[in-house]
């Protein structure tokens, strides 16, 4: 029995969070105590363990499951931001007993929470230091319980104040980061577009007409990227590495079927042609092209989704006719399989409001670098369409946003909830919403049209004049609605 007692004493100290280093939840950092670990988790990953525990009423076993679930997901390379914002709130770990099993061998964090619970319990039940009469004991017990509750309330208030301070600081940091990202995107979109195929480069090419095509292609490379551009590229391409965004696009049947119907109804445009799919994603357009009889398809995507695209291509039996390249298109120096040019380009390049976060610059680069039919040939009268979609148009109309929003609350499932409505404050940030056409107050106008065969990078930074004609004299306009369409046309059946 003495040996067993010695073992118990040793085990208590062995697993104490003071003596055993703890491994971070979202990384491999080591900490000497739980408070330091969770402070790092809160500050660097925006995950407040205790706040989450209270919000979802997790007991000790729930916390153990959650810790093991987080460790399992991080081991599977799940993005911490996706894990914190999307996966954890649904509490998937509570329905699976496998998360009782530690993911890390001898995970000190699990035992540290056990010790912490014991310590809390000891504080809540103080030992009696002296005994008196039954009456004295009762009085003392009442005082002790009252004091304990008071101390507990003070501690809780202090804890909430500390968390509020932490949340305010976190909000300040996130706001600063968002503002900085917005400025960075703005600078890039307006000032740092690739200009390797601008008019100056074209002039140089004309002066050196005897230069070979290959040397021209090596010459037409983008400028050296700034650290800001690399950072934004990282965020942009990483956002396309997850399944959700591609599932959303594929479930947009109107858009995907527009490509499929056009391609399948015009197979002669792809038969025996070399096709490049710019920003291929899951490879759906590449497979459409292969089914139309393309000689070979070059599918390019920088994001990790390219790995899944390769598997999809193999599973559908097109590995010999579709080559998936995971790289930035502008980095490609040589086409695969000895190919020297492409005949057709397909791409789903459109971004928010058509041009924001779009891949049109990459389509232009692919056209000018690898396409057999150059813009100069098309300007000379060769109007066979080779880029799909071949045209994009931006439209605008005046809109009564206030009326649409107030109408929603005025008749919300047959209930007048107009007291809920607050007139929106003016903002420079655009809203991405579905607009009810009943509240359009002007005729619409097409204020920009882009031909994919002739558009250049410098055309994407533009100022346009436009007129909006009100549909009636007392029209109220407090917002402008902008939308776009893309056309598959020119020598096509559809």
């Amino acid at each position: 029995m003495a040996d067993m007692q010695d073992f118990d004493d040793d085990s208590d100290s062995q697993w104490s969070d003071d003596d055993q280093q703890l491994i971070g939840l979202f990384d491999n950092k080591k900490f000497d105590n739980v408070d330091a670990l969770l402070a790092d988790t809160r500050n660097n990953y925006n995950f407040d363990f205790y706040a989450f525990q209270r919000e979802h009423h997790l007991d000790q076993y729930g916390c153990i499951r959650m810790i093991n679930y987080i460790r399992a997901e991080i081991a599977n390379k799940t993005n911490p931001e996706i894990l914190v914002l999307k996966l954890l709130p649904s509490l998937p770990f509570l329905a699976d007993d496998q998360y009782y099993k530690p993911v890390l061998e001898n995970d000190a964090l699990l035992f540290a929470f056990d010790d912490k619970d014991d310590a809390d319990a000891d504080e809540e039940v103080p030992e009696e230091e002296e005994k008196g009469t039954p009456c004295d004991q009762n009085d003392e017990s009442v005082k002790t319980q009252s004091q304990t509750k008071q101390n507990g309330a003070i501690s809780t208030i202090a804890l909430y104040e500390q968390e509020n301070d932490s949340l305010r600081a976190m909000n300040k940091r996130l706001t600063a980061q968002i503002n900085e990202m917005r400025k960075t995107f703005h600078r890039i979109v307006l000032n740092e577009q690739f200009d390797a195929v601008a008019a100056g480069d074209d002039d140089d090419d004309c002066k050196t007409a005897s230069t070979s095509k290959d040397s021209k292609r090596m010459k037409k490379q983008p400028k050296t990227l700034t650290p800001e551009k690399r950072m934004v590229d990282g965020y942009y391409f990483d956002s396309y590495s997850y399944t959700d965004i591609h599932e959303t696009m594929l479930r947009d049947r109107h858009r995907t079927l527009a490509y499929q119907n056009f391609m399948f109804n015009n197979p002669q445009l792809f038969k025996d042609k070399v096709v490049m799919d710019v920003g291929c994603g899951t490879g759906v357009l590449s497979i459409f092209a292969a089914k139309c009889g393309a000689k070979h398809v070059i599918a390019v995507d920088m994001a990790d989704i390219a790995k899944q695209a390769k598997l999809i291509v193999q599973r559908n039996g097109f590995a010999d006719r579709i080559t998936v390249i995971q790289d930035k298109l502008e980095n490609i120096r040589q086409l695969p399989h000895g190919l020297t040019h492409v005949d057709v380009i397909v791409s789903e390049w459109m971004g928010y409001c058509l041009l924001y976060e779009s891949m049109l610059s990459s389509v232009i680069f692919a056209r000018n670098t690898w396409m057999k039919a150059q813009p100069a040939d098309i300007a000379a009268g060769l109007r066979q369409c080779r880029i799909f979609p071949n045209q994009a148009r931006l439209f605008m109309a005046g809109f009564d946003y206030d009326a649409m929003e107030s109408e929603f609350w005025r008749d919300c499932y047959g209930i007048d909830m107009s007291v809920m409505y607050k007139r929106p404050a003016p903002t420079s940030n655009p809203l991405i919403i579905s607009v009810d056409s009943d509240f359009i107050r002007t005729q619409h106008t097409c204020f920009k049209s882009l031909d994919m065969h002739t558009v250049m990078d410098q055309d994407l930074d533009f100022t346009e004049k436009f007129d909006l004609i009100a549909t009636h004299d007392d029209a109220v306009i407090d917002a402008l609605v902008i939308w776009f369409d893309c056309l598959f046309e020119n020598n096509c059946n559809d």
Side-chain angles (χ1 to χ4, degrees), residues 470-482:
T471 52
H472 50 278
D473 293 338
D474 58 348
V476 175
I477 301 172
D478 59 7
L480 296 175
V481 181
I482 299 177

Side-chain angles (χ1 to χ4, degrees), residues 70-81:
I70 292 173
R71 295 207 187 282
E73 290 297 318
I74 293 299
N76 289 330
K77 301 189 182 303
T78 300
N79 184 289
E81 183 177 359

Side-chain angles (χ1 to χ4, degrees), residues 131-202:
K131 296 182 179 180
T133 64
C135 182
D136 292 338
Q137 291 179 22
N138 290 338
D139 291 343
E140 190 63 32
S141 175
V142 171
K143 292 179 181 178
T144 300
Q145 292 176 8
S146 176
Q147 185 65 37
T148 300
K149 291 181 180 179
Q150 183 179 359
N151 292 340
I154 294 173
S155 299
T156 301
I157 292 172
L159 180 60
Y160 283 141
E161 289 177 347
Q162 181 181 357
E163 289 179 354
N164 285 338
D165 291 340
S166 175
L167 289 173
R168 280 192 289 268
M170 184 188 305
N171 182 62
K172 185 176 181 181
R173 286 196 307 274
L174 290 174
T175 301
Q177 291 173 8
I178 291 171
N179 289 335
E180 187 59 32
M181 285 292 293
R182 184 180 292 117
K183 293 177 183 177
T184 302
F185 273 119
H186 186 71
R187 286 195 298 270
I188 289 169
V189 170
L190 294 183
N191 304 318
E192 297 182 14
Q193 297 277 358
F194 288 118
D195 64 351
V197 294
D201 286 342
D202 289 342

Side-chain angles (χ1 to χ4, degrees), residues 198-211:
D201 286 342
D202 289 342
D203 292 341
D204 291 342
D205 289 343
C206 293
K207 295 175 183 177
T208 57
S210 61
T211 307

